[in-house]
Every structure is written in C-alpha cells, then in structure tokens.
Amino acid sequence: MINIVLFGKPGAGKGTQAEFLKEKYKLTHISTGDVFRFNLKNDTELGKQVRVYMDAGDLVPDELTTKMLIDEVNKHTDTNGVLFDGYPRTISQAVALDAFLSSIGSKVTATVALEADDEILIKRLLERGKTSGRIDDQDEDKIRNRYDEYNEKTAPLMQYYNDQGKFHAVNGIGSVQEITERLSAVIDNL
Ligand code: ADP
C-alpha cells in the first residue's frame, strides 16, 4: 500500500488536490472533514456528538476521530493505498495511525504539506463560506480559531514526520494544475 498524508492549514487546498491525486495514483481518499459533514447532514449519532466542535472550529476529540478514521479505512481494505486528508491533526492521532497501520502490516509512506500564508488562506475561506454553506467558513473568529488549533496541535506533526524522514512540503500558491504537478513530483520520487 502507498499511504499518503496530505497536510496543510484550513483552506490550503487539500480537498481540491485530493480529487486529482486519488485518480492519478488510484488511492482511496478519506477526508475526515467530509465524513464528519456527512454525519452532520444526516444527523447521525456521530453527527450529534461532533456538531458543537465543528461549528466552533474546534478539533473533534481524538478518540472519536480515530475510531471514525479506523472504521473508514476498514471499509476499503482492497485498495492500492489511502490518501489521508485532514487526519492526523494531533500527535496522538499520528501515533494511533502508525499503530493501526502497523497492525494491518502497513505504514505511512509519506506526508506532503501544502504551504501558504495565513492571510491568503483566511481570505480564501471567507470566499468559500459565501457558497459552501459551512458555518465554520463564515465567521472570521471561527476561522482564526481553526488556525490557532492548527498552530497549537497540528503543526508539531511536521517535526514528528520529519524525524521519520517522511515530511515533504510544496508551495501551495499557484494554479490547481501547477500544485498537482508539484505534489506529483514528490510522490513520483518516493
Ligand atoms: P479545514 O481543513 O478547512 O478546516 P476539514 O474539512 O478538514 O476542513 O475539517 C473541518 C472540521 O472537522 C475541523 O475544524 C474539525 O472540527 C473537524 N475535523 C476534521 N478532521 C479532524 C481531525 N483529524 N481531528 C479532529 N477534528 C477534525
């Protein structure tokens, strides 16, 4: 299996790039944000549990998130590999992912980050909020809270993967196609 973690701040373009990469490398795309939003929309038990966190732009607790992620991976055992989008977002999640993948005889192949300046991204999210219907994209305070969560809890993952020699970064500013090419260059070299 080739398992890629797509990494980046809110609005960095992970979802957009994932659509191309999953086709190109025949990967199963798992976006934790999308799975959570599906559960919110359908008002499932999980949806009820995560709504308060998501609407505020807070991270959902690790235990709930990891359980959901493992359930998702287990639905797709017959695959070339997984493109993880939005997971892991804390050290505890990264440790849980390593343990889980190791239990199925696999591992994270590489982490690729999309880099971009906060102020550009915040503008992008406010634009997206006009049409996405996402409550967490419509209010600058909630967006800034997501960046605080990122800086405090998610940014340390760069060091975590760098220590394992698995961290790569590409410039996330440019056309969608340019960025796909940058990401592909990294993946083709793995
Ligand atoms: P963005 O990257 O734009 O913030 P996502 O769709 O990846 O959007 O995530 C939206 C929200 O879903 C997050 O703010 C958080 O509440 C929740 N979420 C998604 N993935 C995780 C995760 N790995 N851990 C905790 N919460 C998560």
Side-chain angles (χ1 to χ4, degrees):
M1 274 169 92
I2 129 160
N3 297 308
I4 307 283
V5 173
L6 200 53
F7 191 83
K9 293 174 182 169
K14 298 186 293 291
T16 306
Q17 292 301 328
E19 291 304 316
F20 289 96
L21 297 178
K22 73 172 187 197
E23 294 298 330
K24 183 159 182 194
Y25 297 99
K26 306 274 174 267
L27 300 174
T28 300
H29 173 212
I30 299 180
S31 157
T32 42
D34 285 352
V35 179
F36 283 141
R37 277 185 291 277
F38 175 86
N39 281 276
L40 283 186
K41 197 165 143 235
N42 293 287
D43 207 24
T44 64
E45 210 35 59
L46 178 64
K48 289 188 181 46
Q49 287 173 300
V50 303
R51 184 179 301 278
V52 53
Y53 303 103
M54 291 196 59
D55 284 354
D58 288 335
L59 289 185
V60 174
D62 286 333
E63 210 183 317
L64 269 178
T65 308
T66 296
K67 184 182 175 308
M68 185 275 278
L69 187 274
I70 290 176
D71 288 347
E72 273 314 296
V73 178
N74 282 334
K75 284 183 198 161
H76 304 278
T77 44
D78 184 21
T79 177
N80 248 349
V82 178
L83 184 59
F84 293 96
D85 165 4
Y87 189 100
R89 261 166 144 113
T90 63
I91 295 282
S92 144
Q93 292 180 15
V95 170
L97 180 62
D98 283 347
F100 168 67
L101 288 175
S102 152
S103 79
I104 59 169
S106 190
K107 60 179 171 33
V108 169
T109 311
T111 304
V112 196
L114 288 170
E115 293 186 324
D117 176 73
D118 287 12
E119 296 307 316
I120 295 180
L121 295 181
I122 289 170
K123 284 205 194 91
R124 263 196 211 171
L125 287 185
L126 285 167
E127 258 326 291
R128 179 170 89 183
K130 291 180 189 162
T131 53
S132 69
R134 279 180 58 172
I135 290 177
D136 61 344
D137 279 349
Q138 290 169 15
D139 175 317
E140 190 158 341
D141 286 344
K142 287 180 182 169
I143 293 177
R144 292 203 181 267
N145 184 44
R146 278 149 70 200
Y147 282 82
D148 290 345
E149 289 279 77
Y150 174 91
N151 289 324
E152 186 191 330
K153 298 174 183 164
T154 309
L157 289 175
M158 294 190 259
Q159 191 63 46
Y160 178 87
Y161 286 114
N162 205 24
D163 289 346
Q164 300 181 19
K166 290 182 180 174
F167 184 77
H168 307 266
V170 306
N171 177 359
I173 301 295
S175 70
V176 171
Q177 195 192 340
E178 274 164 355
I179 298 166
T180 310
E181 282 164 13
R182 290 176 200 148
L183 289 168
S184 302
V186 172
I187 296 173
D188 289 340
N189 264 315
L190 291 174

